[in-house]
Amino acid sequence: MQRKQFAVIGLGRFGRAVCRTLALQGHEVLGMDASEDEVRTAHAEGIATHVMQADSTDMRSLEEAGLRGMDAVVLAIGTNLEASVLTVLNLIELGIPRIVAKAAYENYGKVLKRVGGESLQVVYPEAMMGERVANALGGTAILEAIELDPEYSIAEVPAPPEVYGMSLGEADIRGRFGVTVIAIKGKGGVNIAPLRNDRIQPGDLLAVIGTNERLRALQR
């Protein structure tokens, strides 16, 4: 996988989750926020390659932070429309090829999309999370990743090769990896709430719940 450079503006829970995930994938990540408290929290959690306090509505701050040349920027402010619009305009002027902006509601997203044009993608995290939870409960899909709280998440991971052909009971995923399997996705579809005798086949994906530390260890 090619190592890329990303910036995440806004280090609330959503922004920190994006930083953490990109960093775990091996990318270089710059986290920014105007709040000293949010920057301190992000720095303490060690979620990004670099963390800094800066005002994204100020072009000079973005230039000094080295945003020019980034592969993409995630705008995770989400609740301050004026700050989001000014930041998007600054990012466009910097020539950022891809901007992903969090929006709290539809009209908010429409304004950002009108300002950002084709280079901007709007996401609605709360709506997306609700859809994924409903799909998982309904048996029509499996979760990719949902942060339940700062310590626990549900994630989709490839089944480890060493458990291929084993039943869930034989694999003892909980005992060996400290996470609980809540679904198995394979060629035959999605098996929600699998039983101990259900077998794990090559290429299966497991939906598991556990602490973020255990999930990172399993993914490695």
Side-chain angles (χ1 to χ4, degrees), residues 85-143:
V85 168
L86 291 174
T87 300
V88 168
L89 291 173
N90 286 341
L91 295 175
I92 291 173
E93 188 172 339
L94 287 173
I96 304 299
R98 184 180 183 191
I99 305 167
V100 179
K102 170 189 173 184
Y105 48 89
E106 186 175 1
N107 286 341
Y108 190 121
K110 287 181 178 179
V111 171
L112 294 182
K113 186 63 179 175
R114 184 169 297 179
V115 172
E118 294 301 317
S119 62
L120 185 138
Q121 174 188 354
V122 178
V123 296
Y124 303 89
E126 290 187 1
M128 292 168 63
M129 181 179 292
E131 290 174 2
R132 288 178 177 178
V133 170
N135 284 335
L137 292 175
T140 59
I142 202 164
L143 303 185

Side-chain angles (χ1 to χ4, degrees), residues 11 24 50-51 59 123 130 133 150 156 161 170 178 182 185:
L11 296 176
L24 286 173
H50 308 285
V51 178
M59 174 63 83
V123 296
V133 170
E156 180 182 277
E170 294 168 342
I182 60 174
K185 181 179 180 182

Side-chain angles (χ1 to χ4, degrees), residues 14-105:
F14 174 74
R16 295 201 305 275
V18 173
C19 284
R20 185 184 300 112
T21 302
L22 290 172
L24 286 173
Q25 292 174 355
H27 300 296
E28 185 175 345
V29 185
L30 168 64
M32 298 176 56
D33 200 292
S35 166
E36 183 179 351
D37 289 339
E38 297 288 17
V39 170
R40 186 183 299 112
T41 298
H43 183 73
E45 293 179 358
I47 59 171
T49 313
H50 308 285
V51 178
M52 65 179 296
Q53 184 179 1
D55 179 4
S56 62
T57 65
D58 178 45
M59 174 63 83
R60 180 176 297 179
S61 294
L62 296 182
E63 290 179 326
E64 291 176 352
L67 262 68
R68 197 183 299 273
M70 290 283 179
D71 291 288
V73 173
V74 178
L75 180 57
I77 299 175
T79 56
N80 186 329
L81 182 57
E82 181 181 1
S84 293
V85 168
L86 291 174
T87 300
V88 168
L89 291 173
N90 286 341
L91 295 175
I92 291 173
E93 188 172 339
L94 287 173
I96 304 299
R98 184 180 183 191
I99 305 167
V100 179
K102 170 189 173 184
Y105 48 89

